[in-house]
Amino acid sequence: MHDALSALQKIRTLYVQVPFCPERCHYCSLPVSLQTERAPAYLRALFREKKRLMEREDLSGLETLYVGGGTPTVLPLPHLQELLEELQKGLPPLAEITVESRPDTVTPEILHRLRSSGVTRLSFGMESVRSEHMRFLGRTMNVLEPVRFLEFVRNHFSGFVSMDFIAGGEGFSEDAFLQEAQSLLAEGLDHLSLYPLTVEEQTSLKGRLRRGEISAGTEDAAGRIWERIVRALSSMGWFRYEVANFSRSPDTVCRHNHLVWQGYDHAGIGAGAHQRIRSVRTINVRSLVSYEERLFSMKAPFEGRESLDQDERLLEILYTNARLSNGFPLSWLSSEDRSNAIGGADFSDLVEEGYLDSRAYSSGRVIFTEKGRDLLDGLMGEIWSRLRS
């Protein structure tokens, strides 16, 4: 595993945080601003951080660029174009460039501009297929029929298209979602993500929970609904290549996320952005004002910095790879090239209990079954405990 850790210490992905949105959704805990007039100052700071990153790190092996948010497409078109052009300057040819978006922020002109700017993948936060559920989530936009919206996007953009949804909460319909998911697969949607509703700190939903306006069991109920739905998605033909992510085929997975889950070093810039490079994890300040002030005063934008030792790095890589459909080599759990604090262990009992795929295990890989994925946190804790015993 020591050699694998060394091989993964290469920056393959760059994430860019664009914290502007048309509204703050009730479930969102990300740093966002509704004031797009602040974009010019923010972009100047962002480009300065990118310049520092390029001076400090080797980005010659970069494969993907992911522009997230927020909602980057809420930016005025000249600023959006400037953002995409400046981000790509000095970078090697990229295999994938993704931009996050909302359906109510794109026009034919924007879609054409994204395509001409080299964007290869659009990821739309659809969130729901029902108005009542959308209101619960805090989205004021009208619910769009996903299939019709996909047809609209396809008329103006030739790259991959992804849609994200949230399961659970008031107004959510399991049957309605599955019906749409079946139609989207038939219509050729490239990628679908489904996450269970979570009630995060510093969100409107958390405030409603504290005031007793929503049930204390909302998250647990959402988790149970989500478990049923992800099994149904697999049954209808969606390829579940990661715990919460599905693609139409192995060829349409999100390459950026896949590289991060495999454990490669990943860089991140922007307010609130995370990165991990050479076993050092940093988190940027969330405040746009603080972020801009730090960049313009030549200070580091970090608000948190953590150095991971080899065991911590190994645990992280094992966990993220465990989320993937192809798992990881069984040899990673051997004692070779490992510190004396960690030994080998036998996991055949987890195969017998149905948590690990038996064929994969016999051929030297650790791949969790659907049953195992439902209990992934606990099972990885058990595996780690045995490795350290």
Side-chain angles (χ1 to χ4, degrees):
M1 185 59 196
H2 178 72
D3 291 339
L5 285 175
S6 299
L8 292 170
Q9 288 187 334
K10 298 178 181 178
I11 301 176
R12 299 295 193 195
T13 69
L14 172 60
Y15 176 85
V16 181
Q17 181 79 359
V18 182
F20 296 96
C21 237
E23 62 188 340
R24 175 173 282 282
C25 299
H26 292 171
Y27 59 87
C28 180
S29 62
L30 295 173
V32 296
S33 171
L34 311 187
Q35 302 172 307
T36 54
E37 64 271 16
R38 297 190 55 183
Y42 179 80
L43 293 183
R44 286 197 299 273
L46 187 71
F47 300 151
R48 181 166 291 193
E49 187 183 11
K50 183 212 169 193
K51 183 173 182 289
R52 290 189 196 176
L53 175 68
M54 294 183 67
E55 291 171 346
R56 187 177 68 248
E57 303 292 345
D58 176 14
L59 300 184
S60 62
L62 203 67
E63 297 180 28
T64 68
L65 170 66
Y66 193 106
V67 185
T71 308
T73 51
V74 78
L75 294 177
L77 193 54
H79 296 320
L80 179 61
Q81 182 167 347
E82 178 190 17
L83 171 69
L84 294 171
E85 290 176 353
E86 289 296 325
L87 288 178
Q88 294 179 68
K89 284 184 179 178
L91 299 183
L94 300 171
E96 180 183 89
I97 301 176
T98 302
V99 172
E100 288 188 343
S101 184
R102 278 175 43 145
D104 55 339
T105 65
V106 293
T107 63
E109 184 181 9
I110 288 176
L111 291 172
H112 284 297
R113 194 65 60 90
L114 291 169
R115 183 182 63 187
S116 64
S117 296
V119 175
T120 64
R121 179 183 291 267
L122 289 178
S123 180
F124 290 99
M126 307 295 289
E127 314 312 354
S128 182
V129 300
R130 299 187 75 215
S131 297
E132 183 182 356
H133 187 229
M134 192 76 90
R135 288 193 295 271
F136 171 78
L137 296 174
R139 281 285 183 94
T140 59
M141 62 169 277
N142 293 327
V143 172
L144 298 176
E145 184 182 340
V147 170
R148 294 187 66 179
F149 179 69
L150 178 61
E151 292 173 352
F152 160 72
V153 174
R154 291 286 193 216
N155 287 333
H156 305 284
F157 180 78
S158 57
F160 293 123
V161 179
S162 177
M163 293 184 179
D164 296 357
F165 296 90
I166 295 174
E170 295 174 10
F172 179 78
S173 169
E174 190 172 335
D175 291 340
F177 173 76
L178 286 173
Q179 183 177 348
E180 290 293 347
Q182 181 72 72
S183 298
L184 287 168
L185 180 60
E187 290 297 321
L189 179 67
D190 299 297
H191 190 279
L192 183 150
S193 299
L194 178 69
Y195 303 100
L197 177 72
T198 56
V199 182
E200 305 281 355
E201 295 293 337
Q202 300 180 330
T203 65
S204 295
L205 280 183
K206 189 67 172 184
R208 293 185 64 192
L209 182 64
R210 290 187 177 125
R211 295 190 296 271
E213 296 173 3
I214 61 175
S215 169
T218 296
E219 277 188 300
D220 289 341
R224 290 191 295 271
I225 292 170
W226 176 83
E227 287 179 3
R228 291 196 300 270
I229 293 178
V230 293
R231 282 177 168 73
L233 291 173
S234 295
S235 298
M236 68 175 59
W238 281 101
F239 172 49
R240 190 184 183 190
Y241 73 96
E242 193 270 342
V243 169
N245 287 270
F246 301 78
S247 60
R248 178 166 46 83
S249 75
D251 295 328
T252 65
V253 302
C254 177
R255 188 164 180 169
H256 174 89
N257 288 340
H258 202 260
L259 286 168
V260 173
W261 288 318
Q262 285 178 289
Y264 284 100
D265 282 357
H266 49 277
I269 59 174
H274 295 225
Q275 68 177 8
R276 193 203 63 243
I277 300 175
R278 290 186 301 281
S279 299
V280 175
R281 182 186 292 118
T282 58
I283 304 174
N284 281 357
V285 292
R286 291 169 56 90
S287 163
L288 271 68
V289 173
S290 298
Y291 174 75
E292 292 165 9
E293 287 178 348
R294 291 194 182 200
L295 266 300
F296 291 132
S297 62
M298 300 303 293
K299 296 179 181 177
F302 311 144
E303 69 174 5
R305 187 179 188 278
E306 178 186 14
S307 295
L308 306 178
D309 62 29
Q310 182 172 307
D311 288 357
E312 291 169 329
R313 181 80 173 91
L314 170 60
L315 176 59
E316 181 178 279
I317 289 177
L318 289 175
Y319 182 80
T320 55
N321 276 271
R323 296 177 62 90
L324 296 172
S325 61
N326 61 343
F328 55 84
L330 184 59
S331 60
W332 286 8
L333 303 181
S334 70
S335 59
E336 296 178 9
D337 297 319
R338 192 78 58 72
S339 68
N340 292 331
I342 304 176
D346 176 48
F347 302 98
S348 57
D349 59 317
L350 299 183
V351 176
E352 294 171 2
E353 293 170 16
Y355 297 127
L356 298 181
D357 183 276
S358 58
R359 288 187 179 180
Y361 191 80
S362 62
S363 62
R365 293 197 71 82
V366 174
I367 296 178
F368 287 84
T369 61
E370 293 282 3
K371 178 181 177 181
R373 286 183 175 187
D374 290 344
L375 302 171
L376 190 59
D377 287 353
L379 290 171
M380 286 305 300
E382 171 64 19
I383 287 174
W384 186 247
S385 176
R386 295 189 198 182
L387 287 174
R388 294 184 64 86
S389 63

